[in-house]
Amino acid sequence: YKGDGEIPCHKARSISWGDLDEQSGRLAYYLDKSLGTRTPVVVYGHKDPLMLVCFLACVKSGRAYCPIDVSVPSKRVDAVIREVQPEVILATEELSLSYQQILFAEDIRKIIETAAGAAARERAVAAQDVFYIIFTSGSTGVPKGVQITRDCLDHFIEWGLTLGSLLETEEGEGCVFLNQAPFSFDLSVMDLYLSLYSGGTIWALDRKIQGNMRELLASLKRSRAAVWVSTPSFAEVCLSDPSFGEAVLPDLRTFLFCGETLANRTAQRLLEAFPRAEVVNTYGPTESTVAVTG
């Protein structure tokens, strides 16, 4: 995992596979030993790799996680937390709302350093257990928590790895996936778990870098991304710059879109800019695990 963008230390943040496994295991051990229930855990933050540590720690300890991005308005954050009623909140960024038990980044890192072990493998979320909860606004505008089971996620991953010829080949193993969507938007499940399952690298673009075209193009060039996962509108923003093309992303072979309507003209322009790439349009409601058609 590599996070790129404007951050306090002004350096890209990253985490290796080994550290992700060890740190999430240690945090899972703490959650398993210190919490009295298996209620879902709210994970608040943005694109810090510690978010991934928290996600996997939750499911390793047998608890679903509910991601909330920093871009979510405070009233909605409060409404989601009241709906979930978590025993603990893991916050990798500052959270001004006051709740009974919040573990911030410093607390989480201290737990990881001092935890005595990892949660037993048989404690992990499995089969029909809820793996994650994503909140949508729903037609009424009231936050609605969609619960996705481990089986549903596994079925989505199995199908997702058939999208585009790259992911069905050995060349697709270990490749770089671009992450544009915040983790509280179910589109991010596509790049996060297809990447984790196939041994890939996630190149995460934070919201600040997405707002600066020059920095965005420079980041894309550094990424060496082979699989692009985003909303169509984000690709349209990138296409507004005439330099956006194979010179920026020479390894790109697959575009995966979801979350919005993909216009024919946008797909056509992408194929012109990336003649060796495939454009895959997917669709599905959050309730059906990201997407069901491609």
Side-chain angles (χ1 to χ4, degrees):
Y1 176 93
K2 295 182 179 179
D4 204 22
E6 186 182 330
I7 53 176
C9 64
H10 299 291
K11 291 182 180 178
R13 297 163 291 185
S14 63
I15 190 168
S16 69
W17 276 84
D19 287 345
L20 178 61
D21 184 43
E22 182 179 357
Q23 292 179 24
S24 61
R26 286 173 171 267
L27 182 56
Y29 178 85
Y30 170 85
L31 295 175
D32 200 38
K33 298 299 179 183
S34 63
L35 300 182
T37 68
R38 289 208 177 190
T39 54
V41 175
V42 166
V43 181
Y44 178 85
H46 189 44
K47 297 293 183 82
D48 195 295
L50 198 57
M51 289 278 281
L52 273 65
V53 172
C54 292
F55 294 166
L56 297 186
C58 292
V59 296
K60 282 182 176 184
S61 72
R63 294 164 177 84
Y65 68 87
C66 176
I68 304 179
D69 188 69
V70 293
S71 62
V72 176
S74 59
K75 281 188 177 180
R76 183 175 168 86
V77 173
D78 185 62
V80 168
I81 291 173
R82 290 181 186 280
E83 182 72 22
V84 175
Q85 290 290 303
E87 193 173 345
V88 67
I89 297 169
L90 304 177
T92 66
E93 306 286 348
E94 183 180 343
L95 181 59
S96 57
L97 301 175
S98 58
Y99 294 97
Q100 192 169 0
Q101 188 175 2
I102 303 178
L103 297 176
F104 290 99
E106 186 178 338
D107 305 314
I108 296 167
R109 292 191 178 99
K110 195 171 293 184
I111 288 168
I112 290 169
E113 289 172 6
T114 58
R121 194 173 281 269
E122 60 268 18
R123 302 285 287 174
V125 166
Q128 290 301 304
D129 295 335
V130 177
F131 195 96
Y132 69 80
I133 301 171
I134 294 264
F135 271 78
T136 66
S137 60
S139 57
T140 62
V142 177
K144 179 181 63 174
V146 175
Q147 303 178 71
I148 301 297
T149 66
R150 170 65 184 268
D151 278 349
C152 286
L153 179 61
D154 284 345
H155 295 155
F156 169 75
I157 292 169
E158 183 179 358
W159 172 76
L161 291 173
T162 69
L163 296 172
S165 57
L166 174 68
L167 297 180
E168 293 187 285
T169 65
E170 289 185 7
E171 187 184 355
E173 294 179 6
C175 67
V176 179
F177 287 71
L178 190 73
N179 161 260
Q180 172 247 334
F183 295 132
S184 56
F185 181 22
D186 68 333
L187 172 58
S188 68
V189 171
M190 185 177 286
D191 50 75
L192 175 57
Y193 288 105
L194 294 186
S195 176
L196 287 175
Y197 191 89
S198 62
T201 295
I202 303 163
W203 186 272
L205 301 168
D206 75 16
R207 61 177 183 160
K208 289 183 179 178
I209 206 167
Q210 289 183 41
N212 184 313
M213 181 59 76
R214 188 174 65 178
E215 290 187 13
L216 174 59
L217 290 172
S219 180
L220 291 175
K221 194 163 189 174
R222 288 194 299 272
S223 74
R224 309 294 297 186
V227 181
W228 174 292
V229 181
S230 84
T231 57
S233 58
F234 179 71
E236 288 163 4
V237 169
C238 294
L239 283 166
S240 68
D241 191 295
S243 67
F244 181 66
E246 274 198 328
V248 174
L249 289 161
D251 300 312
L252 193 59
R253 294 295 177 269
T254 302
F255 286 93
L256 297 179
F257 291 112
C258 195
E260 300 167 350
T261 300
L262 175 64
N264 289 344
R265 177 60 181 150
T266 302
Q268 186 178 34
R269 291 179 65 196
L270 287 170
L271 292 172
E272 290 168 357
F274 297 90
R276 294 185 294 168
E278 297 172 296
V279 175
V280 182
N281 187 31
T282 73
Y283 169 79
T286 303
E287 289 84 348
S288 63
T289 316
V290 187
V292 291
T293 65

